[in-house]
Each structure stands twice: as structure tokens, then as C-alpha cells.
Amino acid sequence: MREFIVEADGGSRGNPGPAGYGAVVSDAATGETLAEESEYLGVVTNNVAEYRGLVAGLRAAHALDPSASVDVRMDSKLVVEQMSGRWKIKHPDMKPLAAEAARVFPPGRVTYEWIPREMNKHADRLANEAMDAGTSGSTHAAKADADVRAARNVATPTVGWGAADLGAPATFVLLRHGETPLTPQKRFSGSGGTDPSLSDVGREQAERAAAALAQRGTIQAVVASPLARTRETAGTVAARLGLDVAIEDGLIETDFGAWEGLTFAEVQERHPDDLTAWLASPDAEPTGGGESFAATGARIAATRDKLVAAYAGRTVLLVTHVTPIKTFVRLALGAPPESLFRMELSAASLSAVAYYADGNASVRLLNDTSHLR
């Protein structure tokens, strides 16, 4: 039987705050590093990040050899004592993560050992690199070599593989609001503009979306951005489903600053340098102090984590806007920021993302407009 050592760590800059984890799998006999894992997690607590690192390390070890025995070494006294069964797990965010860690290998094949922080520098470095990359607007995943990359792909569950034992996911059905008078003209319409209501066409689109969702019968809650067009769309759907609408400020559209109400061509004519910078970098803001895509990404990641925790195992309709929906999809895919410019998202279209207890996500639908035809 092979023996592996898993060293794992996680951190959060703010607790909760921007967080990440790192995990290392090594051969117990030779000390050779066999796999490295790291990921930016958005806004979570230190303890959640530590547990996520543990799960990632165990899954990487399992991918290398599911018959191995594992010695887990962490500088988190909490995780070591809880996973060893000496301390109770009371926090609701950590219970499913601890359960997932316990399922990776059969009982008795994993031992837990506390080590001082200075002996956990490899995993700590990976966690900090993930946080550094995440807070700059990208996702970091460290891999030792091509074999490790293959192991990571095997270890990551998809909707059809390995997800059945994680319980029902939190599923976000993402509905873009119906048309407003600005939509057909393709004008920038964010959170800093005139806050238009739906047009007659938009109201009809909302009715059609409501009918389609009622026919599916899967929506258990409705959450909407605070802007008029999303509240009106959500109200139409919720009335059809017999549900209330909860308002979530984190779902609001990006603020496009001085570009609000302008077409792309008009922005190109009036603010060419700012537009070029905005298209080139997620950190660039629209003219006049709008919201960068990096800031929107951090906001949506925090909102995602909040809603996943609140609606675990449920199917929720999120009525929101173009940029938030594209950002949910981008984050779920681990795609770069420039992917936002490569997605089509029509008014009143439906998309869907499922979030599992181990933190993985699966994009199930994008820009479905079949209910509008």
C-alpha cells in the first residue's frame, strides 16, 4: 500500500475576506512532491478555506492512488481535532466540508497530525499565491507537472461524475431581465444610470419566462437585483409561482460611469482611450469612476458564496443583469476575464449554474431563449 503525506492550508484576508487554499501531496517514502493544488475561493472565512484545502489535498491523493493511506498534516488545530473526532463540528459552513473530506478515503486510511506553521510553508505559499492571483482578478491553480494536471482533472467532479455523493447542489437559475427602452439600442445601462423600467416587449418577455418556469416547477425561491427592471421581471415570475421576491444588492449591474445611456460607438468616439483600457484590463474603470470588471467579479463571488450558503440544496431564481450573469458563468468555468466579451446573453434569457458541497460548480445552461419563441 502506498503512503502519501497531504499538507494543506487555507487563509482569508479579513476573515471573512478574499480567501484561498493550498495543498501538497508527497510520497511518504521518498518525500517527492506528487501534486499541488490551490484555488482562489472568493470571500469566505479562514476555517472554510482550511477545510477546502484539506478536501482538495485528499481528492488529489485519491486521484493518484485510491488504495493509498494518507497522513494529513496541517497547522490548523481546529481542522485536525475536528477531523480526528476529538472536537465537535458546530459551524454549518464546515459540516458539509468535513463530511466531504471524510468520504474521500475509507475510514481508517487517513490520519491527522498538527504541525507548526513553519513546517507547513509549501501549502501556505500556495494558498497565498491563490489569494494574490484572485484579488488581482484571476484564478490561480498550481500544478507540479503534466501528470499532476491530469490528476487534478480526474479529481474534479462534473455534473455526471462524482457529484452524486455530494448531496443536492444549490442551483442558481439566472434570468436576465426583460427589455427596457435602452435594450434594443444596445446602450450601456448599469447601476449608475436612469434605472429604466421594462418596455411593453420586456413585460411580455417576463410573462413568457414566468410561464416557462411555472411549467418546469423547480424554482423554490426568487431573488432579484434592486433595480426597477429586475424587480419588475422578478415580480411577474414570483406572482406566477406564488413566491415572494427577496432583494439582493450584490446582484446589481455594473456601474458604467459616464458611459451610462451611450452606445458603444458613442463611447468609442467620446472616450476612446478609456474604452481601449477597459477592453484590455479587468482592473480598468469606465470613464467617470464606474465599476471595473475586477470589482464586479469580487462582488459577484461574495454574493455567490452568500447565496450558496443560504440556499444549499435548493433551486433559486436569480433575476439580474448581463454582467452579473456572465460573471457567475465565468467564475464557474474558471475562465479569464476577457471571456465576458465572448458570451451572448439575450434579454429574458435563462442560464443555470449548480454549486456542490465541495465547492465545485457546473454550468448547466447558457442563454436559453426557447421560451420566447
Side-chain angles (χ1 to χ4, degrees):
M1 179 184 294
R2 295 184 72 183
E3 295 184 12
F4 294 142
I5 295 173
V6 170
E7 296 171 348
D9 198 11
S12 172
R13 295 170 180 170
N15 200 31
Y21 69 72
V24 185
V25 183
S26 58
D27 188 292
T30 67
E32 178 188 3
T33 296
L34 303 175
E36 293 180 340
E37 295 289 325
S38 66
E39 185 180 359
Y40 175 65
L41 298 174
V43 178
V44 300
T45 65
N46 281 326
N47 294 148
V48 167
E50 289 166 343
Y51 263 106
R52 290 286 300 276
L54 168 63
V55 171
L58 289 172
R59 293 187 68 87
H62 188 274
L64 292 168
D65 187 346
S67 66
S69 64
V70 179
D71 179 23
V72 174
R73 300 175 181 178
M74 299 180 67
D75 59 57
S76 171
K77 187 74 169 177
L78 177 77
V79 175
V80 168
E81 293 298 315
Q82 287 181 338
M83 292 304 300
S84 299
R86 292 185 288 270
W87 291 2
K88 291 184 178 180
I89 305 172
K90 299 180 180 179
H91 198 285
D93 290 345
M94 286 182 275
K95 286 183 178 179
L97 292 173
E100 170 59 15
R103 286 195 296 263
V104 178
F105 283 93
R109 293 242 301 274
V110 182
T111 58
Y112 289 87
E113 177 184 354
W114 178 84
I115 58 174
R117 179 168 294 276
E118 57 268 21
M119 294 179 63
N120 203 27
K121 290 182 178 180
H122 194 159
D124 178 72
R125 173 177 58 81
L126 293 175
N128 277 284
E129 288 176 356
M131 285 184 276
D132 291 342
T135 52
S136 68
S138 62
T139 300
H140 174 76
K143 307 169 184 72
D145 53 28
D147 291 336
V148 174
R149 284 194 292 273
R152 178 178 171 86
N153 290 335
V154 171
T156 302
T158 66
V159 70
W161 186 98
D165 63 344
L166 299 179
T171 302
F172 294 170
V173 178
L174 303 161
L175 172 61
R176 184 189 170 192
H177 60 80
E179 280 191 11
T180 75
L182 300 181
T183 307
Q185 302 172 35
K186 298 186 181 299
R187 295 185 179 275
F188 283 93
S189 183
S191 58
T194 58
D195 193 15
S197 297
L198 297 181
S199 63
D200 289 340
V201 171
R203 294 185 187 95
E204 174 63 23
Q205 290 172 334
E207 292 286 356
R208 289 177 178 269
L213 291 166
Q215 186 175 19
R216 295 183 188 186
T218 57
I219 301 300
Q220 297 169 284
V222 179
V223 183
S225 153
L227 296 182
R229 53 196 182 272
T230 40
R231 287 189 288 108
E232 188 174 357
T233 303
T236 298
V237 177
R240 186 71 171 262
L241 301 180
L243 299 171
D244 295 325
V245 178
I247 300 299
E248 171 53 56
D249 291 342
L251 294 175
I252 202 167
E253 179 60 288
T254 299
D255 183 347
F256 294 111
W259 303 350
E260 295 280 357
L262 302 179
T263 65
F264 187 90
E266 289 169 341
V267 172
Q268 195 168 36
E269 180 182 353
R270 301 180 193 184
H271 310 285
D273 293 340
D274 289 347
L275 181 62
T276 298
W278 182 72
L279 293 172
S281 171
D283 296 311
E285 297 178 349
T287 307
E291 185 180 27
S292 70
F293 281 145
T296 300
R299 168 166 60 82
I300 294 301
T303 302
R304 173 202 62 198
D305 294 344
K306 174 183 175 182
L307 294 176
V308 166
Y311 295 101
R314 304 173 69 189
T315 299
V316 186
L317 180 70
L318 305 186
V319 186
T320 180
H321 310 265
V322 169
T323 313
I325 293 174
K326 289 183 177 182
T327 302
F328 275 111
V329 173
R330 179 183 78 77
L331 293 173
L333 294 174
E338 56 266 28
S339 65
L340 295 175
F341 300 116
R342 299 172 185 171
M343 298 183 217
E344 178 71 23
L345 205 69
S346 305
S349 63
L350 290 166
S351 303
V353 182
Y355 299 90
Y356 292 89
D358 66 348
N360 285 287
S362 174
V363 176
R364 295 183 168 181
L365 189 69
L366 179 65
N367 196 39
D368 178 17
T369 58
S370 59
H371 53 284
L372 302 177
R373 296 194 288 270

